[in-house]
Amino acid sequence: MEKADLLKTKTPLLYSKDFYNWPEAWMVFDEDIVTGENILKGMIPFIENLDKEGLSKKTIKSHMDNLWFLGSEIIRAVHFDENQRELSPK
């Protein structure tokens, strides 16, 4: 999925206006952007499912906060654990 295709998915924006800017917020080095975008791709189906389940906006926003933290921790782990650098972001 190209970034342009990724941006067509609007559901995450209902709960976090800066969702598609998360990779830039997480990045330590420029190459982290690609990893961050791949993390977002994995999060989108989960967010869409939460939305379809009819959960309250407050509950989904709470999940979004946790997803932001999870993404930042994944990027951090890549830099502090050499074994993580070998894994594909896909």
Side-chain angles (χ1 to χ4, degrees), residues 12 14 16 20 25 33 44 46 50 55 60 70 79 81 84 87 90:
L14 298 172
S16 178
Y20 291 109
I33 296 293
I44 289 171
F46 176 71
L50 293 175
L55 299 174
I60 296 173
L70 177 63
H79 293 289
D81 184 348
Q84 299 294 328
L87 299 175
K90 294 181 181 180

Side-chain angles (χ1 to χ4, degrees), residues 1-45:
M1 184 181 284
E2 297 294 322
K3 186 168 185 171
D5 294 330
L6 182 69
L7 295 174
K8 290 179 185 175
T9 305
K10 303 292 185 202
T11 304
L13 297 176
L14 298 172
Y15 305 102
S16 178
K17 301 282 184 221
D18 64 341
F19 178 76
Y20 291 109
N21 296 324
W22 288 3
E24 288 83 8
W26 298 331
M27 88 171 181
V28 178
F29 300 107
D30 289 339
E31 60 266 16
D32 295 336
I33 296 293
V34 173
T35 302
E37 288 172 353
N38 282 314
I39 292 169
L40 292 186
K41 289 177 197 174
M43 292 177 173
I44 289 171

Side-chain angles (χ1 to χ4, degrees), residues 15-16 19 22 26 39-40 43 46-47 50 55 57-75:
Y15 305 102
S16 178
F19 178 76
W22 288 3
W26 298 331
I39 292 169
L40 292 186
M43 292 177 173
F46 176 71
I47 297 164
L50 293 175
L55 299 174
K57 193 169 187 174
K58 182 178 177 181
T59 298
I60 296 173
K61 283 186 174 195
S62 177
H63 285 297
M64 295 292 285
D65 290 343
N66 292 330
L67 290 173
W68 189 93
F69 182 72
L70 177 63
S72 68
E73 282 298 299
I74 292 169
I75 297 293

